[in-house]
Amino acid sequence: MAANAKQRKETWEVINNREKDLNDYDSIDKPTEDLLGEDCMLFHELGKVVKARSYRVPPDLFYNDSESRKYTTSSRIQNVQAEMTHRALELLQLDGPSLILDIGCGSGLSGEILSAVTSTDGGPHIWIGMDISPFMLDIALRREVEGDLVLSDIGDGIPFRPGSFDAAISISAIQWLCNAESSEVSPQARLSRFFNGLYAGLRRGGRAVCQFYPKNKLQRSMISSAAVKAGFGAGILEDNPGTKNAKFYLVLTVGGGAVQGDITSVVLNMRDVDIQDARRRSSAGKIESKRKGNKAWIMQKKDQMQRKGKVVKASSKYTGRSRRRLAF
């Protein structure tokens, strides 16, 4: 039952005064939805506008002092961040204390979980966090996180010596590399610098797990392709596929040691995981079919000429067969 104008106005004031993160615009509890009535659609549209604006603003401007504090103090975000960090650690499969790079560390929510890993679970880990937002890092300092912090843009590369890290994680950060707030910014170049720097920064046999939210399939392909070009063995794990809670994890491996570049072994024995190998595999037959002058090539040309209405000589068992050259 729709409320009167006064009730709706009061409800909107409550909503506008609540400290909400962007994802909260995706869902409204049932009592609020009933109270808003026809205004509920407007509320959803408002959320879409706010999210659209966030895609066009670089993260160092988007995460100002206010947004950084809201992000850090939101209990919902803390729970989701913890869940994704534990999932990333599971995919890293670390068997001992490691030096981990936290990419887009923000206010240190993921870093706290890394520091809390006990020796029975392969810890304790030492971590170094890098982030582009000075406001996020300022909050991390005030919270006295255990990791070292670096103010840096990951789109400019990874500013560490080659082979410095055993592993790397990133939670909800690398999708920002796909943003182009001006024509002078190249997402492809930023992705290339990031993945090349990350590949160099990891030791041989190291792994990285980057949880990200691709805006569309193009961004997903752009990110994974840039990782492969940098030399990584790469694959994407999708949790809760086809739902609003879907989360994507880019699992990266550096060749050497026990890792041979194929990341399917990372998720092979996990429960409720289906592996879909989308890599293009060349075979001798496919290579042969592209060779000029063989039977498949000749048959394809004949078929093209027939469709154009031209007279074509009949094929036989000798079509495309190589002839011996006799010397006289």
Side-chain angles (χ1 to χ4, degrees):
M1 182 177 180
N4 58 36
K6 183 179 179 180
Q7 287 177 308
R8 288 205 299 268
K9 182 180 179 181
E10 290 175 351
T11 305
W12 274 108
E13 289 176 353
V14 171
I15 290 171
N16 290 330
N17 290 330
R18 285 171 59 186
E19 299 242 326
K20 301 178 68 63
D21 68 287
L22 293 180
N23 288 327
D24 287 337
Y25 284 107
D26 285 338
S27 59
I28 308 174
D29 54 44
K30 192 65 170 65
T32 305
E33 186 172 345
D34 292 339
L35 184 60
L36 285 175
E38 61 187 18
D39 289 344
C40 185
M41 185 62 69
L42 180 60
F43 184 78
H44 283 295
E45 293 304 316
L46 174 63
K48 292 178 183 178
V49 170
V50 174
K51 282 190 172 183
R53 288 176 180 170
S54 72
Y55 283 121
R56 294 194 294 266
V57 179
D60 53 330
L61 297 180
F62 180 77
Y63 286 109
N64 53 28
D65 184 48
S66 174
E67 285 295 330
S68 298
R69 282 189 287 106
K70 287 163 59 176
Y71 189 95
T72 306
T73 57
S74 169
S75 58
R76 177 182 176 278
I77 290 181
Q78 290 175 6
N79 292 334
V80 173
Q81 187 95 358
E83 176 189 338
M84 294 188 295
T85 304
H86 284 297
R87 181 61 155 160
L89 279 171
E90 180 187 9
L91 294 171
L92 283 176
Q93 298 183 345
L94 300 174
D95 54 5
S98 304
L99 178 60
I100 302 175
L101 176 63
D102 187 355
I103 302 160
C105 64
S107 56
L109 296 178
S110 295
E112 286 182 329
I113 295 174
L114 298 179
S115 299
V117 177
T118 62
S119 57
T120 56
D121 295 324
H125 301 307
I126 299 173
W127 62 278
I128 297 175
M130 56 185 297
D131 201 278
I132 195 175
S133 170
F135 298 101
M136 280 289 198
L137 295 179
D138 181 60
I139 293 176
L141 287 171
R142 281 184 278 166
R143 297 175 67 239
E144 298 182 348
V145 297
E146 294 185 17
D148 293 325
L149 304 172
V150 179
L151 178 63
S152 181
D153 181 2
I154 62 174
D156 292 334
I158 305 298
F160 296 98
R161 289 182 179 180
S164 296
F165 297 96
D166 300 307
I169 69 166
S170 178
I171 305 298
S172 307
I174 63 172
Q175 70 270 6
W176 289 96
L177 293 171
C178 298
N179 290 6
E181 59 270 14
S182 70
S183 58
E184 297 177 355
V185 177
S186 170
Q188 289 83 358
R190 288 173 59 77
L191 285 166
S192 177
R193 287 192 293 267
F194 166 66
F195 282 115
N196 279 307
L198 181 59
Y199 185 86
L202 291 170
R203 65 169 175 80
R204 302 305 93 178
R207 278 190 187 144
V209 175
C210 302
Q211 182 277 326
F212 67 109
Y213 292 109
K215 186 178 178 181
N216 47 44
K217 289 184 178 179
L218 178 61
Q219 280 193 1
R220 176 175 169 172
S221 176
M222 188 188 307
I223 289 172
S224 59
S225 297
V228 172
K229 286 181 181 177
F232 283 107
I236 293 178
L237 174 68
E238 183 180 358
D239 282 350
N240 305 313
T243 69
K244 281 176 55 177
N245 296 322
K247 293 178 179 62
F248 296 87
Y249 296 85
L250 179 65
V251 184
L252 306 173
T253 60
V254 179
V259 179
Q260 301 302 324
D262 188 347
I263 62 91
T264 54
S265 60
V266 177
V267 297
L268 188 60
N269 296 318
M270 290 185 178
R271 291 181 302 172
D272 301 323
V273 172
D274 295 325
I275 298 176
Q276 295 182 353
D277 195 338
R279 293 172 294 183
R280 295 179 180 177
R281 299 187 182 276
S282 60
S283 63
K286 290 183 179 179
I287 296 174
E288 182 70 16
S289 66
K290 295 181 180 179
R291 188 171 63 83
K292 184 177 180 179
N294 69 349
K295 186 170 184 177
W297 182 86
I298 294 173
M299 297 300 291
Q300 182 182 12
K301 290 295 181 182
K302 283 187 173 183
D303 185 57
Q304 290 175 354
M305 293 176 70
Q306 283 179 336
R307 287 200 298 268
K308 292 179 181 179
K310 296 184 179 181
V311 178
V312 178
K313 186 180 290 188
S315 300
S316 69
K317 64 179 182 179
Y318 300 106
T319 301
R321 180 179 291 186
S322 58
R323 268 69 168 177
R324 290 183 181 180
R325 292 185 178 181
L326 301 177
F328 294 96

